[in-house]
Amino acid sequence: MLIRRAEAVDAAGIAAIILPTIREGTTYALDTNMSEADALAYWMGPDRETFVAEEDGVIVGTYFIRPNQAGGGRHVCNCGYMTSAAALGRGIARRMCAHSLEHARVRGYRAMQFNFVVSTNTRAVKLWQALGFDIVGRLPLAFRHPTAGDVDAWVMYQQL
């Protein structure tokens, strides 16, 4: 698997991953009806670096990294990750997170923070914990899950 910076020509492959995840509405606090253009503008915006994970020329995952805050909080980064439904369970997210942690160190970030990890996304929570993230905060009933109702969200953090 190759993880590389996303390019404009990757937009269709990225959209094929992020749109179904956004539409499902179970893991990201994004408008489930956002347009493809708005979804791509969010994921590939100028305030972040976007990467793709590729196998045999096919994009199977994508992530972005950006400063979590401006000014005095700029030394902490934030990331978002999505894997194609066809590639779930193959370690793509683990490899993208490992890549992002290394890239964050190279970029001089001193910590990585996930601001809003939906508690029902247990697969991601377990993975982030296995990769060294701690749950440092609970946002009670902060996410309106389409089938589970209002559920907690976690703030997860790792010093680099």
Side-chain angles (χ1 to χ4, degrees):
M1 181 174 69
L2 169 69
I3 299 176
R4 61 170 177 78
R5 283 187 191 272
E7 301 173 10
V9 297
D10 297 321
I14 292 171
I17 293 170
I18 68 174
L19 283 173
T21 302
I22 292 169
R23 301 273 182 268
E24 184 180 46
T26 61
T27 57
Y28 276 81
L30 297 171
D31 179 359
T32 58
N33 295 313
M34 73 186 335
S35 69
E36 179 175 330
D38 287 345
L40 286 168
Y42 168 78
W43 201 261
M44 299 178 75
D47 64 332
R48 62 200 68 211
E49 295 175 85
T50 304
F51 291 82
V52 293
E54 195 175 64
E55 286 183 338
D56 301 320
V58 176
I59 296 173
V60 293
T62 181
Y63 84 85
F64 67 77
I65 184 170
R66 66 179 177 191
N68 194 48
Q69 302 291 331
R74 192 165 186 81
H75 63 288
V76 177
C77 65
N78 170 257
C79 294
Y81 310 84
M82 292 192 196
T83 303
S84 78
L88 289 176
R90 295 187 7 220
I92 307 294
R94 176 180 293 275
R95 290 179 66 187
M96 287 192 300
C97 187
H99 185 274
S100 69
L101 288 165
E102 180 57 31
H103 186 71
R105 289 181 186 98
V106 168
R107 283 288 199 208
Y109 288 111
R110 296 201 316 252
M112 186 177 287
Q113 179 174 319
F114 301 152
N115 300 318
F116 202 92
V117 181
V118 178
S119 62
T120 54
N121 190 359
T122 55
R123 189 178 189 144
V125 172
K126 287 179 186 176
L127 175 58
W128 306 150
Q129 288 176 317
L131 291 171
F133 288 84
D134 293 315
I135 294 173
V136 297
R138 175 180 167 245
L139 307 171
L141 307 177
F143 183 74
R144 182 148 295 157
H145 192 281
T147 58
D150 294 349
V151 299
D152 295 346
W154 308 127
V155 177
M156 300 186 78
Y157 191 85
Q158 179 179 157
Q159 288 187 317
L160 299 177

